[in-house]
Every structure is written in C-alpha cells, then in structure tokens.
Amino acid sequence: MNFSEEQLAFRDSIRRMVAKHVAPIAAEIDETDRFPEELVKLYGEMGLMQLWIPERYGGPEGNLTMMCIAREEISRVSPACGSIAGLNTMFIMPLLHFGSEEQRQRFLPEVAKGGVVTAIAISEPQAGSDIGAMNTRAVLDGDSYVINGRKQWCSYGVVADYIVVMARTSGQSGADGISAFVVEPKKMRGVTFGRHERKMGWRGAPNTPIFFDNVRVPIENLIGEEGKGFKASMRALDLNRPTIGAQCVGLAQGALDVSVEYAKERKQFKRSISEFQGVQFMLADMAIGIEAGRALVYECARAGDEGDWARLNVLASMAKCFGSDMAMKVTTDAVQIFGGYGYTKDYPVERMMRDAKLAQIFEGTNQIQRSVIARELLR
C-alpha cells in the first residue's frame, strides 16, 4: 500500500512490538483462553487502546487507516490480541458522534489514559442479526433509567470499566425506540455475568452473557436522544468493520508466511513440496486473495478518513465480508499445505483456521453484509 512515512514508521513500531510481546504468547493465549491483561497496559502506553480519541481530550487522534494497520500487523500472529488494539472504538464513536460535550469531557480523558477497557452490548439471545427484536428495556424513573434484560456476545464486557448498552425506551417496533446508555458494571448494582462462552477460536477475547436486574443508570448517561441508539451503533459498526477486514488480511498473511516457509522445508519424493505446481498454485491464490483484501480494506479506510460516510457504509460491508471469506479459504488451504501436521496444535495454522471462522459471523454475519451491499446496489 502507498503509506506515508508516518504510517510506515507506525507500522514498523507495531511489528517490533508484536515480535517481542505478542508472538511469544499467541499459542498460550489460545490454549488457556485467558484475557492477556498485560497487553492492555502495553497497548495503552502505545496509544493503541484509545487510538480514536482526539487530542483535545488527551488522545492520539488516530484515524481508520492507522487502526487497520495496527490490527492487521498484530493479527498476523493473533487476531484475538489484535482486537485489543482499538478495543475502545465502539465506546468512543457513539460519544464523539452522538454524545454531549459534557459526556465527552467526562469519559474520554479517562479512556485516553490508556488503561481503561470498554465494550458495547447490542446482541441478545433472540436479537443478533435482527436488532429490531431487542427486548432489553430502559424505563425512565425520576432522574434515572432502570434497565432490565440480557445481552449476549458482548466482547470484553466482563472485564470492562464502561459498557455502551443498547436498550428499548419505547414501544416502537424494529430499530426505532432503541437508545444507548453508558453503564458502569463495576459500580452499578444489578449487573451480573453468566458463563464464559467456550469458543472454537478467537480465544483470549472473552464473550460472556450480561444480565441487567433493575440497574439504575443516571439520565446523564443517555447518549444523544432517546430512540437514536441504533443509529449510534451503526456508525460505530461502520467504522469498526473495516478493521475486522484488516484483521482478516493480517491473519491470512500470517498463514501464507508460515505456509511458504513450510513448503520450502518439507520434502516429499526427494523434492521440496514448493516445487510441485499444485502447491505453487495454492500459494499463488492465497497471495492474490490477500492483496485484493488489503486493497479493499485500505480503500475503505481512506473513505472513512475523508468522512465519505455513504461510501464507507457499503465498502465496510465489502471489506469485512470479502476479508473474512478470503481468510477462511487461505487458512484452510494453509492447513492443507501442512498436511497431517497442519491438523495438529504443534503448528499455528489449525489455530488460524479456527480464528478465521468467527470473522464470518461476528460484527454482522456475511449474509447480512451481502444484504447491505445488495440494498445499496438496488437503491
């Protein structure tokens, strides 16, 4: 990609950090499924946790391109660890675009310090792709809202200091009537967590059900206006989906790198398997897909950095959908190139394949992304 000198220097600093701090623990994180708290402090010191926060609130004022660079580089060895970079984006964006200045002054300087973990809670057991089926409710009672309900698949919610919670504030159907609130789970009574989900891949990134039992949230924690929460969440998702595409590019690149190295070393019939045309074609197709995905991701990032919201919406769906489908194919082919060894945990490609699968599902399934793209085409 045609990065600036500043962006190249940023990328190089990420690569050095990954080699020193992430690569050595990637397999262990997958094996134990522990949340790598040490990376929160490290990423915070590097400005990666709070990358989106403007300078006027104490942040580094990064942009979408920088976010994609960081996540791509880290995800070459661990997309779960890559997710922690820019983790606070889904909390920051609703405040920046829809919150009040008082809310920004209240929350963003603290998050800008780098040690704070945040999350966003949208999905429910019966409201995943169908956001309009949301049942969690917030009822105004004096100077507070009382929230009751349950959330599912809230990434990092169990370790978060702040969670943006989507809840219905009116009887309107569909997405109308959904509002966004800042909940402080470590301070507010009535917030409890269920069993940690045991995932096939993307381990080390906790997903835990959240239960809200008469949780009182001050009225000043309502982000924007009542009934505008869905719009706030969609803006945040549009800005986060390209970074999922970037993670997929990084994951696929990592799989290609180890596949090329293995193909050169592995011998069959007294020849390196890299000399066989069948293997060469697989490697070539992997490289083609990765470069196409990378070009799409950074074109999308450019649209986001230029504030081209209409174009960003469809490109974000394309980058996430194509990137994750591509990563699934590349990592599956990587396992094939490794043969029987690829199916063992002694090599990283089986973990990479498991990690790739989730990317086709979360942040909006790829079927939903295709619906978004088709709707734009047919408008």
Side-chain angles (χ1 to χ4, degrees), residues 291-328:
E291 287 301 329
R294 183 174 287 121
L296 182 54
V297 162
Y298 288 102
E299 176 62 18
C300 181
R302 188 175 69 84
D305 291 340
E306 293 177 354
D308 189 349
W309 302 116
R311 195 155 179 264
L312 173 67
N313 177 258
V314 67
L315 284 177
S317 290
M318 289 179 176
K320 189 271 180 184
C321 184
F322 181 85
S324 55
D325 283 348
M326 176 273 295
M328 190 72 244

